[in-house]
Amino acid sequence: MGVLENKARARLFYKYLSKVYDRVNPFIWNEEMRDEALEMLDIQQGDRVLDVGCGTGFGTEGLLHYTDDVHGLDQSIHQMQKAWEKFGKNDEVRFYRGDAERLPFADDAFDVIWSSGSIEYWPNPVTALEEFRRVVKPGNKVLVVGPDDPKSGVFQKLADAIMLFYDEEEADRMFEAAGFVDIEHHILQRQPGSPRAIVTIARAP
């Protein structure tokens, strides 16, 4: 388990990262990549969508282009304060402070679940994905964006010591263990040589 796959350490990490997150994030996960991932989902106006690990609201902003019923959840109060400054004061998004592994929602509460840049910090990814399956309506989709596993042996060891990095095979294992079907993966990258994101889309049976 990586150093940041610990909730207390991750919260402390984001306390400081939240100050610069919106300036740093585009070098890894930019609007073009986000929008390409969003197009992989068939979100309709009026769909109730949950953004798990919403952070400062980068993914949330994209979701609002598709539906006005968006809900954001994060465990970092510092990240959520940034998101609240963007959306909360106008009641565009309802925010919740919570844990991906214990979602504070009823079964079948959402039409779509989106999560970008969060899975790498979950101590128990399968537990969180089981929660996703519980709160998304049967037959509907979830989309999760995480860091693709580095192919370099040295960098891979360093990356794994910090947080979760995984490949398509490991993503299949996690999503299948959580009970999802029709699992597919897409690799997105800002430019050659930059960090790669793995986008996984799966359906709740």
Side-chain angles (χ1 to χ4, degrees), residues 79-93:
Q79 292 281 83
M80 290 182 67
Q81 285 171 345
K82 296 291 185 181
W84 177 259
E85 291 171 5
K86 295 177 184 176
F87 311 112
K89 294 178 181 178
N90 298 319
D91 295 326
E92 288 185 273
V93 181

mmCIF file with all atom_site columns, all heavy atoms in Angstrom, residues 79-93:
data_model
loop_
_atom_site.group_PDB
_atom_site.id
_atom_site.type_symbol
_atom_site.label_atom_id
_atom_site.label_alt_id
_atom_site.label_comp_id
_atom_site.label_asym_id
_atom_site.label_entity_id
_atom_site.label_seq_id
_atom_site.pdbx_PDB_ins_code
_atom_site.Cartn_x
_atom_site.Cartn_y
_atom_site.Cartn_z
_atom_site.occupancy
_atom_site.B_iso_or_equiv
_atom_site.pdbx_formal_charge
_atom_site.auth_seq_id
_atom_site.auth_comp_id
_atom_site.auth_asym_id
_atom_site.auth_atom_id
_atom_site.pdbx_PDB_model_num
ATOM 1   N N   . GLN A 1 79 ? -10.164 20.720 -0.204  1.00 0.00 ? 79 GLN A N   1
ATOM 2   C CA  . GLN A 1 79 ? -10.518 20.636 -1.620  1.00 0.00 ? 79 GLN A CA  1
ATOM 3   C C   . GLN A 1 79 ? -11.958 21.083 -1.854  1.00 0.00 ? 79 GLN A C   1
ATOM 4   O O   . GLN A 1 79 ? -12.266 21.813 -2.796  1.00 0.00 ? 79 GLN A O   1
ATOM 5   C CB  . GLN A 1 79 ? -10.344 19.190 -2.114  1.00 0.00 ? 79 GLN A CB  1
ATOM 6   C CG  . GLN A 1 79 ? -8.903  18.706 -2.173  1.00 0.00 ? 79 GLN A CG  1
ATOM 7   C CD  . GLN A 1 79 ? -8.189  19.220 -3.399  1.00 0.00 ? 79 GLN A CD  1
ATOM 8   O OE1 . GLN A 1 79 ? -7.691  20.348 -3.400  1.00 0.00 ? 79 GLN A OE1 1
ATOM 9   N NE2 . GLN A 1 79 ? -8.114  18.415 -4.431  1.00 0.00 ? 79 GLN A NE2 1
ATOM 10  N N   . MET A 1 80 ? -12.851 20.662 -0.965  1.00 0.00 ? 80 MET A N   1
ATOM 11  C CA  . MET A 1 80 ? -14.263 20.998 -1.132  1.00 0.00 ? 80 MET A CA  1
ATOM 12  C C   . MET A 1 80 ? -14.529 22.488 -0.970  1.00 0.00 ? 80 MET A C   1
ATOM 13  O O   . MET A 1 80 ? -15.437 23.037 -1.594  1.00 0.00 ? 80 MET A O   1
ATOM 14  C CB  . MET A 1 80 ? -15.100 20.190 -0.143  1.00 0.00 ? 80 MET A CB  1
ATOM 15  C CG  . MET A 1 80 ? -15.167 18.710 -0.474  1.00 0.00 ? 80 MET A CG  1
ATOM 16  S SD  . MET A 1 80 ? -16.202 17.801 0.680   1.00 0.00 ? 80 MET A SD  1
ATOM 17  C CE  . MET A 1 80 ? -17.801 18.487 0.283   1.00 0.00 ? 80 MET A CE  1
ATOM 18  N N   . GLN A 1 81 ? -13.737 23.141 -0.152  1.00 0.00 ? 81 GLN A N   1
ATOM 19  C CA  . GLN A 1 81 ? -13.895 24.581 -0.010  1.00 0.00 ? 81 GLN A CA  1
ATOM 20  C C   . GLN A 1 81 ? -13.634 25.287 -1.333  1.00 0.00 ? 81 GLN A C   1
ATOM 21  O O   . GLN A 1 81 ? -14.316 26.263 -1.685  1.00 0.00 ? 81 GLN A O   1
ATOM 22  C CB  . GLN A 1 81 ? -12.963 25.111 1.082   1.00 0.00 ? 81 GLN A CB  1
ATOM 23  C CG  . GLN A 1 81 ? -13.445 24.788 2.486   1.00 0.00 ? 81 GLN A CG  1
ATOM 24  C CD  . GLN A 1 81 ? -12.416 25.118 3.551   1.00 0.00 ? 81 GLN A CD  1
ATOM 25  O OE1 . GLN A 1 81 ? -11.225 25.338 3.258   1.00 0.00 ? 81 GLN A OE1 1
ATOM 26  N NE2 . GLN A 1 81 ? -12.857 25.158 4.800   1.00 0.00 ? 81 GLN A NE2 1
ATOM 27  N N   . LYS A 1 82 ? -12.657 24.795 -2.083  1.00 0.00 ? 82 LYS A N   1
ATOM 28  C CA  . LYS A 1 82 ? -12.382 25.360 -3.406  1.00 0.00 ? 82 LYS A CA  1
ATOM 29  C C   . LYS A 1 82 ? -13.556 25.101 -4.353  1.00 0.00 ? 82 LYS A C   1
ATOM 30  O O   . LYS A 1 82 ? -13.946 25.977 -5.132  1.00 0.00 ? 82 LYS A O   1
ATOM 31  C CB  . LYS A 1 82 ? -11.100 24.740 -3.984  1.00 0.00 ? 82 LYS A CB  1
ATOM 32  C CG  . LYS A 1 82 ? -9.839  25.052 -3.193  1.00 0.00 ? 82 LYS A CG  1
ATOM 33  C CD  . LYS A 1 82 ? -9.448  26.512 -3.312  1.00 0.00 ? 82 LYS A CD  1
ATOM 34  C CE  . LYS A 1 82 ? -8.131  26.794 -2.620  1.00 0.00 ? 82 LYS A CE  1
ATOM 35  N NZ  . LYS A 1 82 ? -7.741  28.218 -2.695  1.00 0.00 ? 82 LYS A NZ  1
ATOM 36  N N   . ALA A 1 83 ? -14.105 23.892 -4.285  1.00 0.00 ? 83 ALA A N   1
ATOM 37  C CA  . ALA A 1 83 ? -15.249 23.564 -5.132  1.00 0.00 ? 83 ALA A CA  1
ATOM 38  C C   . ALA A 1 83 ? -16.462 24.410 -4.738  1.00 0.00 ? 83 ALA A C   1
ATOM 39  O O   . ALA A 1 83 ? -17.209 24.882 -5.604  1.00 0.00 ? 83 ALA A O   1
ATOM 40  C CB  . ALA A 1 83 ? -15.576 22.077 -5.014  1.00 0.00 ? 83 ALA A CB  1
ATOM 41  N N   . TRP A 1 84 ? -16.655 24.598 -3.439  1.00 0.00 ? 84 TRP A N   1
ATOM 42  C CA  . TRP A 1 84 ? -17.790 25.388 -2.956  1.00 0.00 ? 84 TRP A CA  1
ATOM 43  C C   . TRP A 1 84 ? -17.716 26.821 -3.470  1.00 0.00 ? 84 TRP A C   1
ATOM 44  O O   . TRP A 1 84 ? -18.719 27.414 -3.832  1.00 0.00 ? 84 TRP A O   1
ATOM 45  C CB  . TRP A 1 84 ? -17.810 25.361 -1.438  1.00 0.00 ? 84 TRP A CB  1
ATOM 46  C CG  . TRP A 1 84 ? -18.889 26.203 -0.827  1.00 0.00 ? 84 TRP A CG  1
ATOM 47  C CD1 . TRP A 1 84 ? -18.763 27.448 -0.280  1.00 0.00 ? 84 TRP A CD1 1
ATOM 48  C CD2 . TRP A 1 84 ? -20.278 25.870 -0.714  1.00 0.00 ? 84 TRP A CD2 1
ATOM 49  N NE1 . TRP A 1 84 ? -19.975 27.908 0.171   1.00 0.00 ? 84 TRP A NE1 1
ATOM 50  C CE2 . TRP A 1 84 ? -20.922 26.960 -0.085  1.00 0.00 ? 84 TRP A CE2 1
ATOM 51  C CE3 . TRP A 1 84 ? -21.032 24.757 -1.080  1.00 0.00 ? 84 TRP A CE3 1
ATOM 52  C CZ2 . TRP A 1 84 ? -22.285 26.966 0.185   1.00 0.00 ? 84 TRP A CZ2 1
ATOM 53  C CZ3 . TRP A 1 84 ? -22.396 24.765 -0.805  1.00 0.00 ? 84 TRP A CZ3 1
ATOM 54  C CH2 . TRP A 1 84 ? -23.002 25.854 -0.187  1.00 0.00 ? 84 TRP A CH2 1
ATOM 55  N N   . GLU A 1 85 ? -16.501 27.354 -3.532  1.00 0.00 ? 85 GLU A N   1
ATOM 56  C CA  . GLU A 1 85 ? -16.329 28.713 -4.042  1.00 0.00 ? 85 GLU A CA  1
ATOM 57  C C   . GLU A 1 85 ? -16.763 28.813 -5.505  1.00 0.00 ? 85 GLU A C   1
ATOM 58  O O   . GLU A 1 85 ? -17.256 29.850 -5.954  1.00 0.00 ? 85 GLU A O   1
ATOM 59  C CB  . GLU A 1 85 ? -14.866 29.140 -3.902  1.00 0.00 ? 85 GLU A CB  1
ATOM 60  C CG  . GLU A 1 85 ? -14.419 29.350 -2.460  1.00 0.00 ? 85 GLU A CG  1
ATOM 61  C CD  . GLU A 1 85 ? -12.922 29.560 -2.343  1.00 0.00 ? 85 GLU A CD  1
ATOM 62  O OE1 . GLU A 1 85 ? -12.251 29.632 -3.400  1.00 0.00 ? 85 GLU A OE1 1
ATOM 63  O OE2 . GLU A 1 85 ? -12.417 29.633 -1.204  1.00 0.00 ? 85 GLU A OE2 1
ATOM 64  N N   . LYS A 1 86 ? -16.589 27.727 -6.254  1.00 0.00 ? 86 LYS A N   1
ATOM 65  C CA  . LYS A 1 86 ? -16.955 27.730 -7.666  1.00 0.00 ? 86 LYS A CA  1
ATOM 66  C C   . LYS A 1 86 ? -18.449 27.524 -7.887  1.00 0.00 ? 86 LYS A C   1
ATOM 67  O O   . LYS A 1 86 ? -19.053 28.165 -8.735  1.00 0.00 ? 86 LYS A O   1
ATOM 68  C CB  . LYS A 1 86 ? -16.198 26.620 -8.406  1.00 0.00 ? 86 LYS A CB  1
ATOM 69  C CG  . LYS A 1 86 ? -14.701 26.775 -8.464  1.00 0.00 ? 86 LYS A CG  1
ATOM 70  C CD  . LYS A 1 86 ? -14.098 25.567 -9.159  1.00 0.00 ? 86 LYS A CD  1
ATOM 71  C CE  . LYS A 1 86 ? -12.577 25.618 -9.152  1.00 0.00 ? 86 LYS A CE  1
ATOM 72  N NZ  . LYS A 1 86 ? -11.981 24.395 -9.746  1.00 0.00 ? 86 LYS A NZ  1
ATOM 73  N N   . PHE A 1 87 ? -19.031 26.595 -7.138  1.00 0.00 ? 87 PHE A N   1
ATOM 74  C CA  . PHE A 1 87 ? -20.390 26.161 -7.459  1.00 0.00 ? 87 PHE A CA  1
ATOM 75  C C   . PHE A 1 87 ? -21.380 26.272 -6.310  1.00 0.00 ? 87 PHE A C   1
ATOM 76  O O   . PHE A 1 87 ? -22.562 26.531 -6.532  1.00 0.00 ? 87 PHE A O   1
ATOM 77  C CB  . PHE A 1 87 ? -20.383 24.698 -7.912  1.00 0.00 ? 87 PHE A CB  1
ATOM 78  C CG  . PHE A 1 87 ? -19.369 24.371 -8.954  1.00 0.00 ? 87 PHE A CG  1
ATOM 79  C CD1 . PHE A 1 87 ? -18.286 23.558 -8.661  1.00 0.00 ? 87 PHE A CD1 1
ATOM 80  C CD2 . PHE A 1 87 ? -19.483 24.869 -10.238 1.00 0.00 ? 87 PHE A CD2 1
ATOM 81  C CE1 . PHE A 1 87 ? -17.351 23.241 -9.623  1.00 0.00 ? 87 PHE A CE1 1
ATOM 82  C CE2 . PHE A 1 87 ? -18.552 24.559 -11.208 1.00 0.00 ? 87 PHE A CE2 1
ATOM 83  C CZ  . PHE A 1 87 ? -17.481 23.746 -10.903 1.00 0.00 ? 87 PHE A CZ  1
ATOM 84  N N   . GLY A 1 88 ? -20.934 26.049 -5.091  1.00 0.00 ? 88 GLY A N   1
ATOM 85  C CA  . GLY A 1 88 ? -21.851 25.896 -3.975  1.00 0.00 ? 88 GLY A CA  1
ATOM 86  C C   . GLY A 1 88 ? -22.682 27.114 -3.670  1.00 0.00 ? 88 GLY A C   1
ATOM 87  O O   . GLY A 1 88 ? -23.858 27.003 -3.316  1.00 0.00 ? 88 GLY A O   1
ATOM 88  N N   . LYS A 1 89 ? -22.092 28.277 -3.811  1.00 0.00 ? 89 LYS A N   1
ATOM 89  C CA  . LYS A 1 89 ? -22.803 29.506 -3.453  1.00 0.00 ? 89 LYS A CA  1
ATOM 90  C C   . LYS A 1 89 ? -23.987 29.764 -4.371  1.00 0.00 ? 89 LYS A C   1
ATOM 91  O O   . LYS A 1 89 ? -24.912 30.485 -4.016  1.00 0.00 ? 89 LYS A O   1
ATOM 92  C CB  . LYS A 1 89 ? -21.829 30.686 -3.472  1.00 0.00 ? 89 LYS A CB  1
ATOM 93  C CG  . LYS A 1 89 ? -20.762 30.590 -2.388  1.00 0.00 ? 89 LYS A CG  1
ATOM 94  C CD  . LYS A 1 89 ? -19.781 31.746 -2.454  1.00 0.00 ? 89 LYS A CD  1
ATOM 95  C CE  . LYS A 1 89 ? -18.706 31.622 -1.382  1.00 0.00 ? 89 LYS A CE  1
ATOM 96  N NZ  . LYS A 1 89 ? -17.719 32.715 -1.456  1.00 0.00 ? 89 LYS A NZ  1
ATOM 97  N N   . ASN A 1 90 ? -23.958 29.172 -5.568  1.00 0.00 ? 90 ASN A N   1
ATOM 98  C CA  . ASN A 1 90 ? -25.066 29.345 -6.509  1.00 0.00 ? 90 ASN A CA  1
ATOM 99  C C   . ASN A 1 90 ? -25.988 28.128 -6.533  1.00 0.00 ? 90 ASN A C   1
ATOM 100 O O   . ASN A 1 90 ? -26.860 28.031 -7.391  1.00 0.00 ? 90 ASN A O   1
ATOM 101 C CB  . ASN A 1 90 ? -24.509 29.576 -7.921  1.00 0.00 ? 90 ASN A CB  1
ATOM 102 C CG  . ASN A 1 90 ? -23.681 30.847 -7.995  1.00 0.00 ? 90 ASN A CG  1
ATOM 103 O OD1 . ASN A 1 90 ? -24.044 31.861 -7.429  1.00 0.00 ? 90 ASN A OD1 1
ATOM 104 N ND2 . ASN A 1 90 ? -22.561 30.781 -8.687  1.00 0.00 ? 90 ASN A ND2 1
ATOM 105 N N   . ASP A 1 91 ? -25.754 27.208 -5.602  1.00 0.00 ? 91 ASP A N   1
ATOM 106 C CA  . ASP A 1 91 ? -26.572 25.996 -5.515  1.00 0.00 ? 91 ASP A CA  1
ATOM 107 C C   . ASP A 1 91 ? -26.556 25.174 -6.799  1.00 0.00 ? 91 ASP A C   1
ATOM 108 O O   . ASP A 1 91 ? -27.515 24.461 -7.100  1.00 0.00 ? 91 ASP A O   1
ATOM 109 C CB  . ASP A 1 91 ? -28.027 26.339 -5.140  1.00 0.00 ? 91 ASP A CB  1
ATOM 110 C CG  . ASP A 1 91 ? -28.136 26.931 -3.734  1.00 0.00 ? 91 ASP A CG  1
ATOM 111 O OD1 . ASP A 1 91 ? -27.350 26.509 -2.872  1.00 0.00 ? 91 ASP A OD1 1
ATOM 112 O OD2 . ASP A 1 91 ? -28.991 27.794 -3.521  1.00 0.00 ? 91 ASP A OD2 1
ATOM 113 N N   . GLU A 1 92 ? -25.475 25.266 -7.560  1.00 0.00 ? 92 GLU A N   1
ATOM 114 C CA  . GLU A 1 92 ? -25.383 24.469 -8.785  1.00 0.00 ? 92 GLU A CA  1
ATOM 115 C C   . GLU A 1 92 ? -25.115 22.996 -8.473  1.00 0.00 ? 92 GLU A C   1
ATOM 116 O O   . GLU A 1 92 ? -25.516 22.124 -9.231  1.00 0.00 ? 92 GLU A O   1
ATOM 117 C CB  . GLU A 1 92 ? -24.264 24.994 -9.685  1.00 0.00 ? 92 GLU A CB  1
ATOM 118 C CG  . GLU A 1 92 ? -24.556 26.316 -10.348 1.00 0.00 ? 92 GLU A CG  1
ATOM 119 C CD  . GLU A 1 92 ? -23.455 26.695 -11.310 1.00 0.00 ? 92 GLU A CD  1
ATOM 120 O OE1 . GLU A 1 92 ? -22.479 27.301 -10.870 1.00 0.00 ? 92 GLU A OE1 1
ATOM 121 O OE2 . GLU A 1 92 ? -23.594 26.397 -12.502 1.00 0.00 ? 92 GLU A OE2 1
ATOM 122 N N   . VAL A 1 93 ? -24.406 22.750 -7.381  1.00 0.00 ? 93 VAL A N   1
ATOM 123 C CA  . VAL A 1 93 ? -24.021 21.397 -7.012  1.00 0.00 ? 93 VAL A CA  1
ATOM 124 C C   . VAL A 1 93 ? -24.283 21.210 -5.527  1.00 0.00 ? 93 VAL A C   1
ATOM 125 O O   . VAL A 1 93 ? -24.043 22.121 -4.735  1.00 0.00 ? 93 VAL A O   1
ATOM 126 C CB  . VAL A 1 93 ? -22.517 21.146 -7.300  1.00 0.00 ? 93 VAL A CB  1
ATOM 127 C CG1 . VAL A 1 93 ? -22.128 19.720 -6.937  1.00 0.00 ? 93 VAL A CG1 1
ATOM 128 C CG2 . VAL A 1 93 ? -22.184 21.435 -8.762  1.00 0.00 ? 93 VAL A CG2 1
#
